[in-house]
Amino acid sequence: MQLRRVGADALLIEVDNPLDWFAALDAERGAGRLAVVDIVPGARTVLLDGVSDPVRLAARLRDWSIDPAAVPHEPPIVVDVRFDGVDLPFVAEHAITTVDAVVGALTGTELTVAFCGFAPGFAYLRGLPWSVPRLEEPRTQVPAGSVALAAEFAGIYPTPSPGGWRIVGHSDADLFDVDKKPPALLTPGRSVRFRAA
């Protein structure tokens, strides 16, 4: 673990298991034992923002050990997907298998929201059985609801936007609604399962 100060009131924790740290820190905040404004997981980091005493908190965190078995797990969110994406044949060829086997792997694997970003409601889902290369040249417009893969991640585009991920399907899931609490359907640490629609 490495700790770094970020600005006047934030700490960046570099760890191998950021989701376990995120869950444990969020539980501490919920219990009133950690005073921070926000906890933001990344691919290999956790950012604590709005820390009143970063030096004191850093000293406290250096002695922490996280027990992944103690982290509560909610049931997976099931997302219906029509596996009709233009890049599905490429993914099958890249994985040296069939389109049906790719769909089977995607529906048979429990994915985890590693972190969120890019656009409101966009979750980076970790747990794919293979790594998929991005497009050499991004598309200028990817339709909302597109289910796509890139590197070790899967994701669903919440709104139309440019993108360089390989599209394998589409979903009608409502990924972001500012009037809901939380506004994002997929939040860090949640398990996700794709179901063929």
Side-chain angles (χ1 to χ4, degrees):
M1 174 184 67
Q2 290 189 349
L3 290 164
R4 293 197 167 100
R5 289 281 300 272
V6 179
D9 64 352
L11 280 174
L12 187 69
I13 309 168
E14 294 184 25
V15 286
D16 292 331
N17 52 345
L19 281 181
D20 293 340
W21 275 81
F22 168 76
L25 291 165
D26 195 42
E28 287 291 295
R29 177 175 60 173
R33 295 186 295 264
L34 179 66
V36 296
V37 173
D38 205 1
I39 305 171
V40 184
R44 293 169 193 81
T45 60
V46 179
L47 177 71
L48 300 176
D49 193 19
V51 178
S52 59
D53 189 343
V55 174
R56 184 175 172 193
L57 181 56
R60 178 180 163 200
L61 292 176
R62 282 191 180 89
D63 296 329
W64 263 39
S65 62
I66 301 298
D67 178 10
V71 175
H73 292 285
E74 298 180 66
I77 294 172
V78 176
V79 176
D80 289 326
V81 177
R82 295 181 307 282
F83 287 98
D84 57 1
V86 66
D87 297 315
L88 196 50
F90 170 87
V91 173
E93 183 179 342
H94 178 75
I96 314 173
T97 189
T98 65
V99 166
D100 286 345
V102 169
V103 172
L106 290 171
T107 56
T109 302
E110 190 167 295
L111 304 170
T112 304
V113 180
F115 55 95
C116 299
F118 171 64
F122 189 92
Y124 289 77
L125 306 173
R126 180 174 280 156
L128 294 178
W130 4 251
S131 180
V132 180
R134 292 173 179 264
L135 293 170
E136 289 185 17
E137 187 172 320
R139 295 178 173 96
T140 56
Q141 186 80 337
V142 175
S146 293
V147 178
L149 314 177
E152 71 269 31
F153 297 109
I156 308 170
Y157 286 77
T159 55
S161 65
W165 290 29
R166 305 282 179 170
I167 300 173
V168 295
H170 296 85
S171 175
D172 295 326
D174 187 8
L175 298 170
F176 189 82
D177 183 342
V178 73
D179 294 322
K180 289 185 179 176
K181 196 163 182 73
L185 174 66
L186 307 178
T187 54
R190 284 305 302 263
S191 297
V192 178
R193 279 198 176 274
F194 291 149
R195 180 171 60 193

